[in-house]
Amino acid sequence: MATLTHDGLASSRIRTGLLFALASATSFGLSGPLARGLMNAGWSAAAVVAARVLLAGVVLLPIALPQLRGNWNLVRANATLIGLYGLLAVAGTQLAYFNAVAHMEVGAALLIEYTAPIAVVGWMWARHRQRPGAATLAGAALGITGLLLVLDILAGVSTDPIGITWALAAMIGAAAYFVLSAQGGELPGTVLAAGGLLIGGVTLILAGLVGIVPLRATTATVVFDDFSTPWWVPILLIGVVTAAIAYVTGIAATRRLGSRLASFVALTEVLAALLFAWALLGEAPRPIQLLGGALILAGVIIVRLGEPEPLPVGDPEARAVAEVPARPEA
């Protein structure tokens, strides 16, 4: 009877984790199309990112503070990590991604960003001498091939080099997110996320005030493919749904499923972004892009399978293991 009860609890935990992971991936996938609509209405990419991350940070703060339990020494000990997380993983990644979707289709930009695990494998090899195995190299080759198909290089179709550059910058920022998220020891993930979101948002506001990035917002109606809406509706959605809820559900999923299984489910964000871009922006993916996207997803999965099995959350030995965690985000 005890065994049956344990198995039932484990199955329920996995089902709940899968639901959280799918909710997180779907929430993140909505961010690109919403940002594209705001930018078409006159918002700058920096203003969209600043509004998104600041609103998400404010929403997450009441959740993060109780988890901290007044242990501010833990925050001080990880101040550098939280700062780098806010500057690179939050502000840098989001700004680069939204600039990319301003010059190219959402699906292509997101698929380029999702080659980040390949960059992480290269970093771990160069920095920590963790040489990739045959499966990892095969997955990297598949990912690169898929990237070429997504960009439609073989068909000779010209692609905006500015958009590609921004998408590659977003990929580097996403790789930094994975590396930085593996650090922090006992620092709760929600505290790291909330602190990084607030730091990233404040940084973008300050950069806009001194003229480093353009901060431009309007109250114009936001027009999508088949409908229009007041500006505050996509702002609320992009902050609360695609950032705050996405991070919270992503953390909950990872704690129930473990990093590897959660990362596999998180790949559905790419499909969600393609569907949202099709529904909101009328960007129907071309067959060659679908093939390239399938190859990229297959390559990323094979890369993940080629990596060492992470230790369970809470295992004392896990603190000594360099683990590449699943995307929450962002």
Side-chain angles (χ1 to χ4, degrees), residues 79-288:
T80 301
L81 172 62
I82 297 174
L84 289 175
Y85 187 92
L87 294 175
L88 297 179
V90 175
T93 304
Q94 296 300 315
L95 181 59
Y97 172 63
F98 286 147
N99 272 304
V101 300
H103 294 87
M104 63 191 304
E105 294 183 359
V106 169
L110 190 60
L111 288 168
I112 293 174
E113 182 183 354
Y114 252 83
T115 60
I118 299 175
V120 172
V121 169
W123 168 261
M124 300 301 290
W125 188 3
R127 177 69 175 176
H128 301 289
R129 306 301 181 188
Q130 295 183 8
R131 183 176 181 178
T136 301
L137 295 176
L142 271 180
I144 293 174
T145 303
L147 178 61
L148 294 176
L149 294 180
V150 169
L151 298 177
D152 223 353
I153 300 297
L154 299 180
V157 177
S158 60
T159 306
D160 190 343
I162 297 178
I164 296 175
T165 302
W166 279 116
L168 290 174
M171 180 269 291
I172 295 173
Y177 162 81
F178 289 125
V179 173
L180 293 173
S181 295
Q183 305 175 26
E186 297 179 353
L187 184 70
T190 309
V191 176
L192 177 61
L197 288 166
L198 292 173
I199 290 174
V202 171
T203 300
L204 286 171
I205 294 295
L206 293 176
L209 292 177
V210 299
I212 297 177
V213 294
L215 283 180
R216 184 177 62 258
T218 72
T219 58
T221 299
V222 180
V223 179
F224 293 100
D225 189 37
D226 294 323
F227 66 95
S228 59
T229 181
W231 65 272
W232 54 267
V233 174
I235 285 295
L236 284 178
L237 290 175
I238 206 170
V240 177
V241 176
T242 77
I245 292 178
Y247 274 97
V248 170
T249 54
I251 292 170
T254 303
R255 290 178 176 176
R256 286 164 172 78
L257 302 177
S259 293
R260 188 152 79 173
L261 180 54
S263 69
F264 294 155
V265 183
L267 294 178
T268 56
E269 177 187 342
V270 177
L271 302 178
L274 286 172
L275 294 176
F276 282 130
W278 191 358
L280 298 179
L281 305 176
E283 295 180 356
R286 295 182 293 274
I288 194 170

Side-chain angles (χ1 to χ4, degrees), residues 30-109:
L30 181 59
S31 63
L34 289 176
R36 181 68 171 271
L38 286 166
M39 288 186 285
N40 288 343
W43 286 66
S44 66
V48 174
V49 176
R52 178 183 186 235
V53 299
L54 282 175
L55 181 56
V58 170
V59 171
L60 285 179
L61 200 57
I63 302 173
L65 291 178
Q67 290 188 348
L68 194 58
R69 297 173 182 174
N71 188 5
W72 294 103
N73 289 329
L74 191 58
V75 175
R76 285 190 287 270
N78 292 277
T80 301
L81 172 62
I82 297 174
L84 289 175
Y85 187 92
L87 294 175
L88 297 179
V90 175
T93 304
Q94 296 300 315
L95 181 59
Y97 172 63
F98 286 147
N99 272 304
V101 300
H103 294 87
M104 63 191 304
E105 294 183 359
V106 169

